[in-house]
Amino acid sequence: MPDLTIAAVIGSLKAASVNRAVFAAARELMPAGVELIEVSITDVPLFNEDVEAVGDPAPVTALKDGVGAADALVIFTPEYNGSMPGVTKNAVDWLSRPFLNGPIAGLPVGIVAAGPGRRAGAGVREHLALTVAMTGGAVHGETHGIGGIHGSLTDGALTDHETRAALRSWIEGFVAFVRDRPTGD
Ligand SMILES: Cc1cc2nc3c(=O)[nH]c(=O)nc-3n(C[C@H](O)[C@H](O)[C@H](O)COP(=O)(O)O)c2cc1C
């Protein structure tokens, strides 16, 4: 029975997503008592206030309930054109509703970006941190970027020792950030 549950949103719909590989490694590297659970965005529709007005579609309810039930959220995302992919932004937009009262408001949020470039997704990490802050999410100031990702993968899995050690170190910092936050009880 975990004492801390962290929801994971993977901002890529690609089956062989490198960010999914990083998520899989992160799940293995979680400290004892901490569970990382994916909350799927695969079937989440594009945000539309008219749709929202008549009730959240089932995949949106599942997303909001999954994140709302967790103690924290980590977003694993690629960088597209120097910023976040539409699917990542779309998930955050749904999670932000109702504004400042959605499941992401007040939630500790970690940001991890992996890609082939040397800048390790610096653009998406910066932009996503600003977006999540707008929603009332408590962004962990230290984001984690993995550049040159293909050199760290073997058969689609994150196997490179140093890359895994750096990810583990970031996870430990994020878990400390989550545990140190006031609970309000
Ligand atoms: C539309 C598009 C834009 C991209 N822009 C960037 C970029 O700005 N920076 C970067 O490092 N990689 C960029 N890439 C490459 C992605 O990082 C790469 O495809 C990566 O594998 C995507 O992550 P995923 O495998 O988890 O889906 C882009 C890819 C696409 C399809």
Side-chain angles (χ1 to χ4, degrees), residues 12 14 17-19 78-82 115-117:
S12 171
K14 194 171 86 183
S17 160
V18 297
N19 285 277
E79 178 176 270
Y80 278 6
N81 298 311

PDB file of all heavy atoms in Angstrom, residues 12 14 17-19 78-82 115-117, ligand 1:
ATOM      1  N   SER A  12       2.448  12.533 -25.079  1.00  0.00           N
ATOM      2  CA  SER A  12       2.712  12.012 -26.418  1.00  0.00           C
ATOM      3  C   SER A  12       1.778  10.839 -26.657  1.00  0.00           C
ATOM      4  O   SER A  12       1.639   9.977 -25.792  1.00  0.00           O
ATOM      5  CB  SER A  12       4.169  11.535 -26.542  1.00  0.00           C
ATOM      6  OG  SER A  12       4.353  10.846 -27.769  1.00  0.00           O
ATOM      7  N   LYS A  14       2.256   8.794 -29.180  1.00  0.00           N
ATOM      8  CA  LYS A  14       3.035   7.864 -30.008  1.00  0.00           C
ATOM      9  C   LYS A  14       3.295   6.573 -29.227  1.00  0.00           C
ATOM     10  O   LYS A  14       3.737   6.632 -28.075  1.00  0.00           O
ATOM     11  CB  LYS A  14       4.359   8.553 -30.351  1.00  0.00           C
ATOM     12  CG  LYS A  14       5.161   7.913 -31.446  1.00  0.00           C
ATOM     13  CD  LYS A  14       6.330   8.814 -31.830  1.00  0.00           C
ATOM     14  CE  LYS A  14       7.522   8.568 -30.940  1.00  0.00           C
ATOM     15  NZ  LYS A  14       8.628   9.482 -31.242  1.00  0.00           N
ATOM     16  N   SER A  17       6.816   6.234 -27.822  1.00  0.00           N
ATOM     17  CA  SER A  17       7.231   7.529 -27.268  1.00  0.00           C
ATOM     18  C   SER A  17       8.440   7.388 -26.341  1.00  0.00           C
ATOM     19  O   SER A  17       8.453   6.550 -25.437  1.00  0.00           O
ATOM     20  CB  SER A  17       6.048   8.116 -26.476  1.00  0.00           C
ATOM     21  OG  SER A  17       6.487   9.095 -25.561  1.00  0.00           O
ATOM     22  N   VAL A  18       9.439   8.249 -26.569  1.00  0.00           N
ATOM     23  CA  VAL A  18      10.605   8.220 -25.673  1.00  0.00           C
ATOM     24  C   VAL A  18      10.217   8.749 -24.287  1.00  0.00           C
ATOM     25  O   VAL A  18      10.797   8.354 -23.273  1.00  0.00           O
ATOM     26  CB  VAL A  18      11.796   9.009 -26.253  1.00  0.00           C
ATOM     27  CG1 VAL A  18      12.265   8.376 -27.547  1.00  0.00           C
ATOM     28  CG2 VAL A  18      11.494  10.479 -26.454  1.00  0.00           C
ATOM     29  N   ASN A  19       9.234   9.638 -24.251  1.00  0.00           N
ATOM     30  CA  ASN A  19       8.777  10.139 -22.948  1.00  0.00           C
ATOM     31  C   ASN A  19       8.033   9.061 -22.175  1.00  0.00           C
ATOM     32  O   ASN A  19       8.076   9.031 -20.947  1.00  0.00           O
ATOM     33  CB  ASN A  19       7.941  11.412 -23.137  1.00  0.00           C
ATOM     34  CG  ASN A  19       8.843  12.592 -23.452  1.00  0.00           C
ATOM     35  OD1 ASN A  19       9.409  13.206 -22.560  1.00  0.00           O
ATOM     36  ND2 ASN A  19       9.034  12.858 -24.746  1.00  0.00           N
ATOM     37  N   PRO A  78       7.212  15.651 -24.556  1.00  0.00           N
ATOM     38  CA  PRO A  78       8.171  16.076 -25.578  1.00  0.00           C
ATOM     39  C   PRO A  78       8.127  17.599 -25.708  1.00  0.00           C
ATOM     40  O   PRO A  78       7.216  18.250 -25.182  1.00  0.00           O
ATOM     41  CB  PRO A  78       7.652  15.450 -26.872  1.00  0.00           C
ATOM     42  CG  PRO A  78       6.463  14.644 -26.535  1.00  0.00           C
ATOM     43  CD  PRO A  78       6.019  15.027 -25.162  1.00  0.00           C
ATOM     44  N   GLU A  79       9.094  18.126 -26.439  1.00  0.00           N
ATOM     45  CA  GLU A  79       9.059  19.526 -26.869  1.00  0.00           C
ATOM     46  C   GLU A  79       8.710  19.545 -28.343  1.00  0.00           C
ATOM     47  O   GLU A  79       9.308  18.807 -29.126  1.00  0.00           O
ATOM     48  CB  GLU A  79      10.427  20.181 -26.654  1.00  0.00           C
ATOM     49  CG  GLU A  79      10.485  21.626 -27.128  1.00  0.00           C
ATOM     50  CD  GLU A  79      11.830  22.263 -26.816  1.00  0.00           C
ATOM     51  OE1 GLU A  79      11.973  22.843 -25.725  1.00  0.00           O
ATOM     52  OE2 GLU A  79      12.747  22.158 -27.664  1.00  0.00           O
ATOM     53  N   TYR A  80       7.720  20.356 -28.692  1.00  0.00           N
ATOM     54  CA  TYR A  80       7.367  20.560 -30.104  1.00  0.00           C
ATOM     55  C   TYR A  80       7.585  22.036 -30.433  1.00  0.00           C
ATOM     56  O   TYR A  80       6.966  22.910 -29.799  1.00  0.00           O
ATOM     57  CB  TYR A  80       5.900  20.212 -30.357  1.00  0.00           C
ATOM     58  CG  TYR A  80       5.564  18.750 -30.569  1.00  0.00           C
ATOM     59  CD1 TYR A  80       6.515  17.739 -30.410  1.00  0.00           C
ATOM     60  CD2 TYR A  80       4.278  18.374 -30.936  1.00  0.00           C
ATOM     61  CE1 TYR A  80       6.180  16.399 -30.611  1.00  0.00           C
ATOM     62  CE2 TYR A  80       3.934  17.049 -31.137  1.00  0.00           C
ATOM     63  CZ  TYR A  80       4.890  16.064 -30.972  1.00  0.00           C
ATOM     64  OH  TYR A  80       4.550  14.751 -31.175  1.00  0.00           O
ATOM     65  N   ASN A  81       8.437  22.278 -31.403  1.00  0.00           N
ATOM     66  CA  ASN A  81       8.659  23.652 -31.869  1.00  0.00           C
ATOM     67  C   ASN A  81       8.922  24.617 -30.718  1.00  0.00           C
ATOM     68  O   ASN A  81       8.341  25.701 -30.633  1.00  0.00           O
ATOM     69  CB  ASN A  81       7.473  24.106 -32.740  1.00  0.00           C
ATOM     70  CG  ASN A  81       7.355  23.216 -33.974  1.00  0.00           C
ATOM     71  OD1 ASN A  81       8.344  22.987 -34.666  1.00  0.00           O
ATOM     72  ND2 ASN A  81       6.182  22.682 -34.222  1.00  0.00           N
ATOM     73  N   GLY A  82       9.772  24.164 -29.821  1.00  0.00           N
ATOM     74  CA  GLY A  82      10.218  25.016 -28.730  1.00  0.00           C
ATOM     75  C   GLY A  82       9.227  25.179 -27.593  1.00  0.00           C
ATOM     76  O   GLY A  82       9.479  25.954 -26.661  1.00  0.00           O
ATOM     77  N   GLY A 115      14.014  14.342 -25.198  1.00  0.00           N
ATOM     78  CA  GLY A 115      14.032  14.483 -26.650  1.00  0.00           C
ATOM     79  C   GLY A 115      15.438  14.335 -27.181  1.00  0.00           C
ATOM     80  O   GLY A 115      16.397  14.149 -26.423  1.00  0.00           O
ATOM     81  N   PRO A 116      15.576  14.433 -28.488  1.00  0.00           N
ATOM     82  CA  PRO A 116      16.887  14.206 -29.107  1.00  0.00           C
ATOM     83  C   PRO A 116      17.836  15.402 -28.991  1.00  0.00           C
ATOM     84  O   PRO A 116      19.040  15.245 -29.099  1.00  0.00           O
ATOM     85  CB  PRO A 116      16.528  13.963 -30.577  1.00  0.00           C
ATOM     86  CG  PRO A 116      15.223  14.657 -30.785  1.00  0.00           C
ATOM     87  CD  PRO A 116      14.504  14.638 -29.466  1.00  0.00           C
ATOM     88  N   GLY A 117      17.280  16.587 -28.759  1.00  0.00           N
ATOM     89  CA  GLY A 117      18.091  17.812 -28.816  1.00  0.00           C
ATOM     90  C   GLY A 117      18.989  17.991 -27.601  1.00  0.00           C
ATOM     91  O   GLY A 117      18.783  17.384 -26.552  1.00  0.00           O
TER      92      GLY A 117
HETATM   93  C1  LIG B   1       5.981  18.697 -34.609  1.00  0.00           C
HETATM   94  C2  LIG B   1       7.286  18.364 -33.944  1.00  0.00           C
HETATM   95  C3  LIG B   1       8.057  19.384 -33.430  1.00  0.00           C
HETATM   96  C4  LIG B   1       9.255  19.086 -32.748  1.00  0.00           C
HETATM   97  N1  LIG B   1       9.970  20.107 -32.169  1.00  0.00           N
HETATM   98  C5  LIG B   1      11.025  19.799 -31.369  1.00  0.00           C
HETATM   99  C6  LIG B   1      11.664  20.817 -30.598  1.00  0.00           C
HETATM  100  O1  LIG B   1      11.303  21.973 -30.624  1.00  0.00           O
HETATM  101  N2  LIG B   1      12.701  20.449 -29.793  1.00  0.00           N
HETATM  102  C7  LIG B   1      13.115  19.147 -29.712  1.00  0.00           C
HETATM  103  O2  LIG B   1      14.052  18.868 -28.959  1.00  0.00           O
HETATM  104  N3  LIG B   1      12.521  18.168 -30.433  1.00  0.00           N
HETATM  105  C8  LIG B   1      11.481  18.465 -31.253  1.00  0.00           C
HETATM  106  N4  LIG B   1      10.861  17.475 -31.953  1.00  0.00           N
HETATM  107  C9  LIG B   1      11.386  16.104 -31.891  1.00  0.00           C
HETATM  108  C10 LIG B   1      10.784  15.357 -30.727  1.00  0.00           C
HETATM  109  O3  LIG B   1      11.475  15.725 -29.547  1.00  0.00           O
HETATM  110  C11 LIG B   1      10.895  13.848 -30.937  1.00  0.00           C
HETATM  111  O4  LIG B   1      10.053  13.486 -32.026  1.00  0.00           O
HETATM  112  C12 LIG B   1      10.566  13.052 -29.710  1.00  0.00           C
HETATM  113  O5  LIG B   1      10.788  11.696 -29.947  1.00  0.00           O
HETATM  114  C13 LIG B   1       9.107  13.268 -29.306  1.00  0.00           C
HETATM  115  O6  LIG B   1       8.868  12.647 -28.056  1.00  0.00           O
HETATM  116  P1  LIG B   1       8.013  11.292 -27.959  1.00  0.00           P
HETATM  117  O7  LIG B   1       8.845  10.208 -28.624  1.00  0.00           O
HETATM  118  O8  LIG B   1       7.853  11.071 -26.494  1.00  0.00           O
HETATM  119  O9  LIG B   1       6.721  11.495 -28.678  1.00  0.00           O
HETATM  120  C14 LIG B   1       9.680  17.753 -32.638  1.00  0.00           C
HETATM  121  C15 LIG B   1       8.889  16.727 -33.202  1.00  0.00           C
HETATM  122  C16 LIG B   1       7.704  17.017 -33.828  1.00  0.00           C
HETATM  123  C17 LIG B   1       6.843  15.901 -34.366  1.00  0.00           C
END
